[in-house]
């Protein structure tokens, strides 16, 4: 079993120490580490990069971690990060956040994904008004017998100032992000980690890339459920002479505001995203048979990760109680 | 994963199970390090992980821990440094010194350190947003070192004040609560605290603990301090 070289170690440690990195930064680290022969073309470099990642993930498999990429839906950029694949006793330790803070985070994520407009963000004040009690298992379950559900005092006493502090911390640590309009959206770490959680919670997917369409454009036809990320929309219709129409119902779609150079970056990055998607889908096939038994959930990454103990409870709540109303 | 046959065969445990345990120990170390911000992990915690699953063979925990150490190095490039928990020097000065030193021998703990060369680390790996913590660590260790390895709390804050850090500051832009920032250094075993009953009441002393005294680190600190002070690297008398 060949050991990884110091170059692989540098890539791994940079992600563990600094958190998720933008593709440009990560690729730049890679090119500075690998000696470039004169005349090595971009394709060869890309190939070497993919080999590196493949080798790292092969070694990672014995510790249930994965180095993967995801797209930040707010700016279209690809980010790389190290993600935990299995929820177990060890991973439950790996966080500095307290249980009520995690419940607060879960509440915010749910509120964001349930946004009907596909905006993928909620107002700051709406976030602060989220009540933790709804995160307690069975609290909103319509089948509960009316018996007293034990709500931990820590949840009841989670004050507004604690919520504000937690919100700041979550944005700082990249679990949530702050949009230019001052609203709160899903952060890069959450995109990396919660990918399969989004799927199991039936978040509508984008027609083009099949990832959860949290911040996406909806088809103007109200009867049609098609969603597309702005960058996917641009990519699909770039170079086509026809009108931009919805693949579901044929209604005309608006243009997006994604810049042209981003489209090229997306085309290049998609190769790697697809690779990790293929790996994920083949894993999903083998996991599907165990799903009822294990309720395997992609857990959070290494640095400042969250426990997903409450996450599985949330899953059940969401299914039975439908949309969370925030006011 | 192949284990050297002469070692592996002592334990009648299938390779797959051994691999799984090694993986769990590694994950425990990584996640715990994140949770407690780099405080050393006691060896007992790791052995407990293993024995709690019902593996009672005598040398098995050591075997698993060694395997974890080797994998942390080959996969991540982290060294699992072993630290011996040191005792405050006051205890060593009493007559019972030798006995108490021996009972301490089992208190091993581990930290993970990057094995990358420092230029590579500084360029690619270092988290620039937390450099203030390294700075504080270095300064505090440097001060205590120049004080001969031990200093009273009052004196330490006297020197920190000259750098703009006040004992009762709670809203420092980088450290928020500066007293807590110092406490974190004790948790991480760079320093240890000791209360001494003096004629005027309790006096708190800080001295260097095992993480700061660990040979490669301590040598570097002495070297840097000597460069700054431009004298040779022997402790100065502090009165």
């Amino acid at each position: 079993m060949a050991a990884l070289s110091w170059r692989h170690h540098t890539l791994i440690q940079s992600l563990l120490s600094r958190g998720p990195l933008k593709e440009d930064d990560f690729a730049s680290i890679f090119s500075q580490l690998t000696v470039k022969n004169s005349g090595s073309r971009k394709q060869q470099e890309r190939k070497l990069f993919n080999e590196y990642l493949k080798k790292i993930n092969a070694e990672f498999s014995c510790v249930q971690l994965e180095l993967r990429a995801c797209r930040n839906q707010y700016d279209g950029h690809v980010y790389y990060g190290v993600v935990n694949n299995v929820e177990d006793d060890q991973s439950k330790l790996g966080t500095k956040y307290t249980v009520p803070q995690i419940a607060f985070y879960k509440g915010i994520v749910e509120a964001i994904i349930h946004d009907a407009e596909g905006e993928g963000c909620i107002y700051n004040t709406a976030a602060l008004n989220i009540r933790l009690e709804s995160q307690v298992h069975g609290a909103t379950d319509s089948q509960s017998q009316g018996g007293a559900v034990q709500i931990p005092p820590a949840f009841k006493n989670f004050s507004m100032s604690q919520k504000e502090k937690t919100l700041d911390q979550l944005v700082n640590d990249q679990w949530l992000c702050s949009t230019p309009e001052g609203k709160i959206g899903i952060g890069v770490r959450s995109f990396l980690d919660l990918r399969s959680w989004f799927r199991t919670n039936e978040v509508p997917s984008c027609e083009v890339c099949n990832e959860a369409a949290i911040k996406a454009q909806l088809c103007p036809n109200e009867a049609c459920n098609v969603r597309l990320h702005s960058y996917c929309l641009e990519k699909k219709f770039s170079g086509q002479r026809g009108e931009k129409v919805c693949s579901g119902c044929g209604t005309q779609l608006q243009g997006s505001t994604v810049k042209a150079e981003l489209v090229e970056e997306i085309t290049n990055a998609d190769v790697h995203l697809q690779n990790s998607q293929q790996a994920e889908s083949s894993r999903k096939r083998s996991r599907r048979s165990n799903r009822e038994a294990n309720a395997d959930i992609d857990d959070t990454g290494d640095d400042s990760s969250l426990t997903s103990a409450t996450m599985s409870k949330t899953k059940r709540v969401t299914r039975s109680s439908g949309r969370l109303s925030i006011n | 994963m192949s284990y050297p046959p002469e070692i592996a065969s002592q334990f009648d445990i299938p390779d797959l199970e051994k691999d799984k345990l090694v993986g769990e120990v590694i994950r425990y170390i990584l996640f715990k390090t994140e949770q407690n911000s780099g405080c050393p992990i006691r060896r007992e915690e790791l052995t407990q992980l293993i024995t709690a699953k019902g593996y009672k063979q005598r040398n098995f925990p050591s075997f698993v821990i060694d395997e974890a150490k080797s994998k942390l190095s080959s996969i991540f490039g982290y060294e699992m440094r072993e630290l011996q928990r040191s005792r405050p020097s006051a205890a060593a000065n009493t007559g019972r010194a030798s006995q108490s030193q021996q009972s301490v021998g089992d208190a091993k703990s581990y930290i993970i350190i990057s094995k990358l060369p420092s230029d590579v680390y500084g360029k690619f790996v270092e988290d620039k947003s937390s450099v203030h913590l390294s700075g504080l660590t270095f300064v505090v260790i440097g001060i205590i070192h120049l004080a001969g390895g031990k200093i009273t709390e009052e004196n330490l804050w006297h020197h920190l004040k000259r750098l703009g850090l006040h004992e009762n500051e709670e809203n420092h832009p980088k450290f928020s609560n500066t007293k807590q920032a110092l406490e974190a250094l004790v948790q991480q075993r760079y320093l240890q605290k000791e209360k001494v009953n003096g004629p005027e009441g309790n006096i708190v002393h800080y001295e260097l603990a095992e993480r700061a005294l660990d040979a490669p680190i301590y040598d570097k600190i002495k070297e840097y301090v000597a460069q700054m002070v431009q004298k040779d690297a022997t402790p100065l008398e502090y009165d």
Side-chain angles (χ1 to χ4, degrees), chain A residues 15-151:
Chain A
L15 288 175
L16 290 179
S17 165
R18 293 160 65 183
L21 293 176
K22 263 193 191 162
E23 181 173 38
D24 286 345
D25 297 332
F26 195 56
S28 129
I29 298 178
F30 177 73
S31 15
Q32 291 179 66
L33 290 175
T34 49
V35 177
K36 277 206 291 267
N37 304 321
S38 59
S40 83
R41 295 164 307 151
K42 220 175 170 196
Q43 251 185 342
Q44 285 176 337
E45 222 183 279
R46 187 86 217 174
K47 194 165 165 244
L48 187 63
F49 182 64
N50 288 340
E51 271 171 32
Y52 260 66
L53 294 193
K54 208 166 149 198
K55 200 167 181 196
I56 290 175
N57 277 327
E59 295 294 320
F60 268 0
S61 58
C62 67
V63 282
Q64 321 289 339
L65 298 176
E66 189 185 346
L67 204 174
R68 73 155 87 123
C70 79
R71 203 183 298 279
N72 180 346
Q73 299 190 8
Y74 300 90
D75 61 12
H77 287 120
V78 173
Y79 284 78
Y80 285 90
V82 174
V83 178
N84 176 29
N85 272 338
V86 155
E87 175 197 352
D88 60 5
D89 290 335
Q90 284 80 44
S91 62
K92 289 193 183 133
L93 291 175
T95 176
K96 293 194 195 117
Y97 288 99
T98 62
V99 174
Q101 285 180 313
I102 295 173
F104 183 49
Y105 162 74
K106 299 290 163 58
I108 297 177
V109 169
E110 280 183 2
I112 293 175
I113 63 177
H114 285 126
D115 174 31
E117 306 301 312
E119 283 294 322
C121 49
I122 58 175
Y123 283 105
N124 203 310
T125 41
L128 291 172
N129 282 331
I130 286 178
R131 303 189 61 219
L132 271 56
E133 284 83 346
S134 55
Q135 294 298 320
V136 176
H137 174 50
T140 53
D141 199 334
S142 51
Q143 282 128 12
S144 69
Q145 312 248 319
V149 177
Q150 285 292 4
I151 298 177

Side-chain angles (χ1 to χ4, degrees), chain B residues 171-186:
Chain B
N171 288 313
H172 192 274
K174 283 282 186 179
F175 294 111
S176 26
N177 187 323
T178 40
K179 199 150 191 178
Q180 263 177 26
L182 188 66
E183 225 8 72
L185 293 182
V186 177

Side-chain angles (χ1 to χ4, degrees), chain A residues 9 13 17-18 84 86 88 304, chain B residues 27 34 74 77 114 124-125:
Chain A
H9 294 156
Q13 290 187 22
S17 165
R18 293 160 65 183
N84 176 29
V86 155
D88 60 5
S304 66
Chain B
R27 283 164 62 85
E34 164 58 25
S74 70
S114 167
F124 301 118
V125 176

